Amino acid sequence: SRFRKNPGFVLLSEDATAKTVLDINYFIEFIKIGNRIQVKINDKIIHNVVDPNVYEGGKIGFRTWQSDTIFDNFKVYQIK
């Protein structure tokens, strides 16, 4: 799994242990508090990044490579 920032496609974090298995569902969480961004897969932290130039708005994108991926039940929440 690679966590990148655009523009520039800058690699912020990489975890080679994050593997997927066909026909298994995964729960993925993206958590941003201040300039810290965490990515969890099934409650395991895959990326834990402190970005000194974090964006306060914009868009999110998912990029896959040679996969049959379906994103289902996508929700965005504000942490209070």
Side-chain angles (χ1 to χ4, degrees):
S1 174
R2 292 183 182 103
F3 186 61
R4 296 187 184 270
K5 182 176 183 177
N6 271 328
F9 208 57
V10 177
L11 182 64
L12 297 178
S13 177
E14 184 173 25
D15 185 330
T17 67
K19 305 286 184 188
T20 57
V21 178
L22 188 63
D23 294 326
I24 298 290
N25 292 326
Y26 296 92
F27 181 71
I28 303 170
E29 293 178 272
F30 294 84
I31 303 165
K32 178 194 169 286
I33 300 174
N35 65 345
R36 177 174 302 279
I37 304 166
Q38 285 186 341
V39 180
K40 295 181 182 181
I41 301 176
N42 294 342
D43 288 324
K44 177 184 176 192
I45 296 174
I46 303 299
H47 303 288
N48 189 26
V49 175
V50 174
D51 184 351
N53 299 309
V54 70
Y55 299 139
E56 294 301 328
K59 299 176 183 178
I60 186 170
F62 300 98
R63 181 175 179 256
T64 63
W65 184 68
Q66 293 185 344
S67 67
D68 293 323
T69 302
I70 297 171
F71 293 98
D72 185 24
N73 204 16
F74 182 83
K75 297 177 184 178
V76 177
Y77 300 93
Q78 181 176 351
I79 298 174
K80 296 182 180 186

